[in-house]
């Protein structure tokens, strides 16, 4: 948890004004448990979240497998792209030969993801696979270059790597950067000019990755995830689970084993939006399922992988009967097998086929997978909408039957599609109950009006059906305001009081999307923004973090005139919820004032007597459209303070004047 600045709150004393909102919190009545999984993270490789983002590899197209083999590279001199390399699933490599004159150069230069960025005094691990196909020895000069410099030498760091022999071998070298450079490049010269040299899987990582792992994650970004205290970690998406067609769906089996042999996949976000087009956006799968599980373990999160149900993206393929576009109902065996094998990969013994793969990757102990999502935003069709029938749920049933038969303890997660209401949601929600999934995944990217008017969304949910996973949600500003700004984040905080109050039915909630590269985004708002050197946490990030850190263990009843505080009529834009934390003995009250006026509050802590000091945490700001930035990352952050609690006539009394447009958490020991 970050360090907050400390302020003191002025209490308004016992003389309560007429318009004071009286909130009752019954501290004696412990309600539903708040699940440890309640607040989590949703990871998808969108906005360069994986390659070019969390995954710390700095070389783009390291295996020359992009459809244009040299995309991301400048090649010069005598070179040839060949396709009989040492890695079966990544067969391309580059042959570097004599340039024809001792003054000429043969070589390659990689532009990285929006540049190769290095930090002063940081060390980088360069590696490649190479050989001298005709025998002998050669030398590669590897340098970090600044091509735009006015200085004498473009190279600001360099190292020689000696290559020897006809066999493919892995070579590594460390390069220390003497300066911070945002837009550098990686240059490789064939320095032993006459000896032909083949190069493959050319890689550059910072040595200082998250937990120092070689195939590692960017430390600052992984730390930001850790600091969110995610109870659950959903991966790998999102729409990339489905793919724009079956070939481009996320195939977890391709994402495990040695990185050199993980085949490239398209990334649908490279072309999903013509107005945000990134032709060099692919998935190397360097951050694959093993690394996801490992991160879950690092963060103490339950893993929640989601797999393809055999349907490609239904938005992009509206006719579910089109041959070859979706897997037919009677051809799902290999998809179902993928699901069963995934469970074996995560949990199986080391002598099982997939447990062995996990063990060989360095994790003989099981990952203890408990949840599995089948399908992302899928749906069925009624007569008014295509009449194709139970396209998704018929497939889900087949998965469910097979998974339940072999792994009865795995909790299955279905989906109610891309919408939080409407014909498709209404059709799917009862079917989730019929199919007896454990949870279903709801998505809502909605505007301010929706968030203000849906405070009671979960209060009326069927308590006998499956539990809810609010798997993707965010407030998207109306009127061309679809980007991060303070007010929409505040409304997310308001909405989450309803999630918390209904913790008996909502077991997981993950804001989406998680990451965005400043120079490569397709979708906003997002929780964490970064460039190649820096990052900042959005206000939405802080909202999620505040809920996760203050989630408590049990809901406490909280009402205003007997009603839930959910922005209802007469509640002046207030939203509130309360929990008790059995481990700390604290009553935790969350209040969000969405109105543009300060609101006097009188919170009656029933079941508590006498005076106390309460800790308060406040997220407030007076510019609706403002947001943190790379240059000013802490413009809007939670501030810690304290307030006095009075004895009150019947129970302890917390009096406050909550400022306009403010999210405030009160924590008091019982
Ligand atoms: O979060 C971005 C996208 O929104 C996800 O990929 C998809 O599931 C949803 O439509």
């Amino acid at each position: 948890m970050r360090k907050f600045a400390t302020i003191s709150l002025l209490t308004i004393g016992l003389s309560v004004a007429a318009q004071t909102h009286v909130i009752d919190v019954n501290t004696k009545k412990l309600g539903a448990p708040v699940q440890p999984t309640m607040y989590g993270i949703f990871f998808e490789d969108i906005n360069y979240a994986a390659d070019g983002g969390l995954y710390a590899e700095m070389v783009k197209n390291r295996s020359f497998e992009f459809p244009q083999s040299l995309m991301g590279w400048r090649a010069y001199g005598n070179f040839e792209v060949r396709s009989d390399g040492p890695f079966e699933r990544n067969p391309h490599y580059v042959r570097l030969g004599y340039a024809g004159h001792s003054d000429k150069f043969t070589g390659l230069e990689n532009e990285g993801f929006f540049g190769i960025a290095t930090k002063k005094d940081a060390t980088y691990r360069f590696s490649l696979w190479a050989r001298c196909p005709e025998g002998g020895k050669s030398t590669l000069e590897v340098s970090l270059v600044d091509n735009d410099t006015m200085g004498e030498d473009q190279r600001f760091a360099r190292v020689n790597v000696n290559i020897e022999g006809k066999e493919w071998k892995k070579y590594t070298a460390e390069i220390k950067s003497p300066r911070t450079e945002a837009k550098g490049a990686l240059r490789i010269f064939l320095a032993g000019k006459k000896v032909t040299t083949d190069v493959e899987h050319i890689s550059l990582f910072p040595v200082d990755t998250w937990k120092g792992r070689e195939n590692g994650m960017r430390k600052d970004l992984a730390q930001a995830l850790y600091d969110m205290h995610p109870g659950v970690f959903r991966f790998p998406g999102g729409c990339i689970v489905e793919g724009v067609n079956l070939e481009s769906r996320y195939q977890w089996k391709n994402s495990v084993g040695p990185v050199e042999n993980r085949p490239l996949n398209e990334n649908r976000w490279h072309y999903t939006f013509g107005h945000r087009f990134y032709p060099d956006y692919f998935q190397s799968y360097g951050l694959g399922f093993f690394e996801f599980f490992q991160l879950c373990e690092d963060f103490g999160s339950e893993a929640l992988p989601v797999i393809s149900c055999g349907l490609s993206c239904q938005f992009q393929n509206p006719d579910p009967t089109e041959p070859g576009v979706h897997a037919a109902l009677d051809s799902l065996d290999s998809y179902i097998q993928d699901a069963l094998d995934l469970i074996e990969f995560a949990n199986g013994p080391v002598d099982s086929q997939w447990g062995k793969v996990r063990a060989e990757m360095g994790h003989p102990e099981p990952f203890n997978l408990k949840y599995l999502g089948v399908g992302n935003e899928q749906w069925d069709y009624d007569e008014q909408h295509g009449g194709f029938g139970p396209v998704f749920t018929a497939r889900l049933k087949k998965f469910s039957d097979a998974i339940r038969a072999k792994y009865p303890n795995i909790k299955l997660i279905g989906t109610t599609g891309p919408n939080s209401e409407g014909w498709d949601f209404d059709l799917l929600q009862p079917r989730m109950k019929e199919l007896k999934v454990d949870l279903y995944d709801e998505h809502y990217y909605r505007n301010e009006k929706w968030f203000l008017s849906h405070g009671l969304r979960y209060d009326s949910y069927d308590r006998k059906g499956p539990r809810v996973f609010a798997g993707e949600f965010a407030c998207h500003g109306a009127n061309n305001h679809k980007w991060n700004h303070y007010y929409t984040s505040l409304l997310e905080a308001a909405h989450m009081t309803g999630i918390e109050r209904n913790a008996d039915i909502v077991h997981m909630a993950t804001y989406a999307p998680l990451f965005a590269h400043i120079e490569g985004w397709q979708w906003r708002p997002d929780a964490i923004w970064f460039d190649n050197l820096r990052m900042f946490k959005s206000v939405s990030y802080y909202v999620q973090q505040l809920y996760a850190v203050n989630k408590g263990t049990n809901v406490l009843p909280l009402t205003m005139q007997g009603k839930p505080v959910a922005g209802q009529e007469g509640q002046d834009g207030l939203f509130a919820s309360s929990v008790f934390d059995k481990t700390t003995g604290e009553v935790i009250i969350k209040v969000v004032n969405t109105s543009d006026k300060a609101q006097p509050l009188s919170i009656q802590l029933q079941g508590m007597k006498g005076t106390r000091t309460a800790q308060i945490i406040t997220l407030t700001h007076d510019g609706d459209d403002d947001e943190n930035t790379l240059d000013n990352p802490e413009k809007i952050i939670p501030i810690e303070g304290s307030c006095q609690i009075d004895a009150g006539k019947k129970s302890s009394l917390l009096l406050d004047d909550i400022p306009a447009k403010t999210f405030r958490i009160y924590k008091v020991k019982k």
Side-chain angles (χ1 to χ4, degrees):
M1 187 79 185
R2 58 184 295 116
K3 270 196 173 171
F4 300 129
T6 299
I7 58 160
S8 268
L9 178 83
L10 286 178
T11 56
I12 59 168
L14 276 173
S15 55
V16 176
Q19 73 277 24
T20 294
H21 298 282
V22 179
I23 291 178
D24 295 304
V25 179
N26 187 344
T27 72
K28 286 181 297 191
K29 197 169 168 195
L30 282 197
V34 180
Q35 298 300 315
T37 51
M38 183 63 130
Y39 306 109
I41 50 182
F42 157 82
F43 184 92
E44 175 166 24
D45 191 2
I46 182 173
N47 306 321
Y48 287 83
D51 292 286
L54 179 62
Y55 185 49
E57 173 63 85
M58 297 160 77
V59 175
K60 183 166 70 190
N61 190 15
R62 64 187 174 188
S63 293
F64 308 102
E65 295 302 326
F66 283 20
Q68 288 81 28
S69 307
L70 289 175
M71 188 180 257
W73 295 93
R74 281 205 295 177
Y76 36 84
N78 174 9
F79 66 89
E80 183 192 357
V81 178
R82 298 172 63 97
S83 59
D84 57 344
F87 305 113
E88 197 191 336
R89 299 196 293 180
N90 288 323
H92 293 93
Y93 64 96
V94 172
R95 174 158 293 177
L96 304 175
Y98 183 48
H101 188 282
S102 59
D103 280 352
K104 292 188 179 178
F105 288 98
T106 288
L108 287 165
E109 196 167 300
N110 191 270
E111 66 189 23
F113 299 91
F114 315 102
I116 298 250
T118 54
K119 290 186 180 167
K120 185 172 176 356
D121 294 334
T123 305
Y124 296 86
R125 184 179 294 110
F126 170 83
S127 68
L128 88 169
W129 286 75
R131 67 173 179 179
C132 301
E134 290 143 12
K137 290 181 186 175
S138 86
T139 299
L140 299 175
E141 181 195 279
V142 178
S143 53
L144 297 169
V145 297
D146 171 7
N147 285 317
D148 297 331
T149 186
M150 287 293 288
E152 203 57 50
D153 194 342
Q154 295 165 323
R155 299 165 299 186
F156 58 88
R158 68 178 134 148
V159 65
N160 282 349
V161 179
N162 297 320
I163 313 296
E164 186 175 357
K166 288 184 177 179
E167 301 307 317
W168 284 102
K169 276 183 270 181
K170 184 176 179 178
Y171 296 86
T172 59
E174 290 192 352
I175 315 182
K176 190 169 174 181
S177 178
R179 66 183 227 213
T180 295
E181 172 57 53
K183 295 282 177 192
L186 177 73
R187 182 184 288 172
I188 298 161
F189 274 160
L190 181 63
K193 294 191 175 191
K194 290 203 168 157
V195 182
T196 302
T197 307
D198 292 339
V199 293
E200 158 67 315
H201 197 88
I202 300 173
S203 169
L204 186 72
F205 274 86
V207 168
D208 191 19
T209 56
W210 169 253
K211 295 203 176 274
R213 292 179 184 132
E214 284 199 16
N215 184 51
M217 305 302 135
R218 226 177 100 167
K219 198 176 182 180
D220 56 342
L221 298 183
Q223 183 68 47
L225 298 185
Y226 178 84
D227 291 343
M228 282 178 98
H229 296 257
V232 66
F233 185 153
R234 169 182 167 200
F235 55 87
C239 292
I240 67 165
V241 168
E242 306 152 76
V244 72
N245 49 32
L246 290 174
E247 293 68 48
S248 59
R249 76 189 189 278
Y250 196 104
Q251 298 192 53
W252 76 265
K253 286 176 179 167
N254 289 344
S255 81
V256 298
V259 282
E260 294 86 348
N261 208 18
R262 299 184 192 174
L264 187 81
N265 193 11
E266 258 181 37
N267 189 320
R268 55 159 295 141
W269 296 110
H270 124 192
Y271 47 72
T272 298
F273 301 126
H275 61 287
R276 303 284 311 170
F277 182 62
Y278 294 91
D280 62 351
Y281 195 5
F282 289 83
Q283 299 179 75
S284 71
Y285 281 152
L287 164 51
F289 266 45
F290 180 84
E291 291 77 19
F292 280 125
F293 280 119
Q294 210 172 30
L295 284 174
C296 291
E297 206 167 67
D298 297 343
F299 301 159
S301 319
E302 292 297 344
L304 199 174
V306 180
I307 50 157
S308 159
C309 66
L311 290 169
S312 327
C313 176
Q314 288 175 261
F315 284 114
Q316 286 164 318
N317 302 284
D319 178 356
T321 60
E322 202 183 331
V325 174
H326 305 282
L329 198 54
D330 57 5
S331 318
L332 284 177
D333 288 357
S334 64
Y335 295 81
I336 293 172
Q337 195 57 49
D338 277 354
L340 299 173
D341 291 343
L342 173 59
I343 300 168
E344 186 176 284
F345 174 73
N347 296 350
V350 296
D351 57 358
S352 62
Q353 184 192 352
W354 288 100
K356 186 163 176 266
V357 175
R358 182 191 72 239
E360 283 168 359
M361 292 183 76
H363 203 289
E365 309 78 29
F367 281 118
N368 252 315
L369 174 69
K370 301 190 184 85
Y371 299 93
L372 181 63
V374 177
N376 176 45
E377 290 179 342
Q378 326 291 168
W379 60 89
D380 289 350
Y381 302 80
D382 62 14
E383 283 311 313
Q384 287 74 49
H385 299 92
F388 300 113
V391 167
F392 168 55
T393 51
R395 285 169 174 77
L396 179 60
K397 167 106 176 60
K398 290 200 155 205
F399 276 81
S400 165
D401 289 349
I403 295 167
R404 296 260 190 253
K406 191 159 183 194
Y407 296 108
N409 295 328
I410 290 288
K411 291 196 189 305
L412 264 189
I413 301 181
T415 163
T416 41
N419 291 306
S420 48
E421 53 271 307
W423 71 268
D424 44 355
F425 181 85
D426 293 344
L427 194 62
L428 284 165
Q429 198 190 33
R431 290 190 180 167
M432 292 302 115
K433 186 174 178 183
E434 281 157 34
L435 283 171
K436 295 194 170 70
V437 295
D438 295 285
L439 296 105
Y440 55 82
D441 178 13
E442 293 187 352
H443 294 180
Y444 38 96
Y445 297 104
R446 295 287 185 260
N447 65 21
E448 296 91 335
K449 201 168 155 201
W450 188 96
F451 272 79
L452 283 167
S453 59
H454 282 70
L456 293 172
R457 176 177 181 83
Y458 294 114
D459 292 70
S460 56
Y461 265 48
D462 179 359
R463 266 46 197 177
K464 298 204 179 85
R467 308 293 101 168
V468 172
F469 168 34
E472 288 183 35
F473 71 94
C475 182
H476 283 188
N479 305 324
N480 293 325
H481 260 58
K482 191 183 161 306
W483 62 81
N484 287 80
H485 53 278
Y486 173 74
Y487 184 58
T488 48
S489 304
L490 183 78
L491 296 189
E492 288 154 7
H495 176 72
M496 289 171 76
T497 58
I499 288 181
E500 185 167 274
R501 182 173 59 253
N502 290 284
D504 60 324
I505 186 84
V506 187
H507 281 193
M508 299 173 179
T510 55
Y511 173 93
L514 192 54
F515 281 123
H517 195 298
I518 293 278
E519 295 174 68
W521 61 270
Q522 297 82 47
W523 182 292
R524 59 182 182 174
D526 304 287
I528 299 167
W529 287 82
F530 58 91
D531 66 9
N532 288 351
L533 293 170
R534 299 176 296 168
M535 53 89 59
F536 74 86
K537 298 163 177 173
S538 69
V539 181
S540 290
Y541 171 99
Y542 286 115
V543 167
Q544 297 305 312
Q545 186 191 47
L546 285 172
Y547 269 90
V549 171
N550 298 291
K551 68 174 174 292
T553 56
N554 292 79
V555 179
L556 289 176
L558 178 150
T559 52
M560 193 189 289
Q561 294 180 321
K563 291 189 204 158
V565 184
Q568 300 195 69
E569 219 183 312
Q571 296 185 335
D572 287 335
L574 289 171
F575 292 73
S577 58
S578 179
V579 291
F580 182 69
D581 193 321
K582 281 183 188 168
T583 54
T584 61
E586 282 172 322
V587 172
I588 304 171
I589 301 160
K590 302 184 181 82
V591 182
V592 184
N593 177 8
T594 62
S595 77
D596 52 12
K597 291 189 188 61
Q599 302 287 347
L601 300 177
S602 166
I603 304 176
Q604 324 262 355
L605 297 164
Q606 293 161 13
M608 287 170 62
K609 290 252 180 259
T611 60
R612 286 167 174 73
T613 301
Q615 183 200 357
I616 58 170
I617 304 166
T618 305
L619 191 59
T620 193
H621 190 69
D622 61 6
D624 282 6
D625 282 357
D626 278 358
E627 180 52 89
N628 298 322
T629 62
L630 282 178
D631 291 330
N632 195 356
E634 303 211 332
K635 187 170 169 183
I636 311 170
I637 59 168
I639 306 288
E640 213 173 71
S642 61
C643 73
Q644 272 315 112
I645 291 193
D646 298 312
K649 278 192 188 144
K650 292 189 190 148
S651 50
S652 302
L653 191 60
L654 196 164
L655 299 172
D656 189 17
D657 209 2
I658 183 168
K661 296 185 180 163
T662 295
F663 173 27
R664 183 164 276 174
I665 302 180
Y666 307 88
K667 298 171 79 168
V668 52
K669 287 255 186 225
K670 198 166 168 204

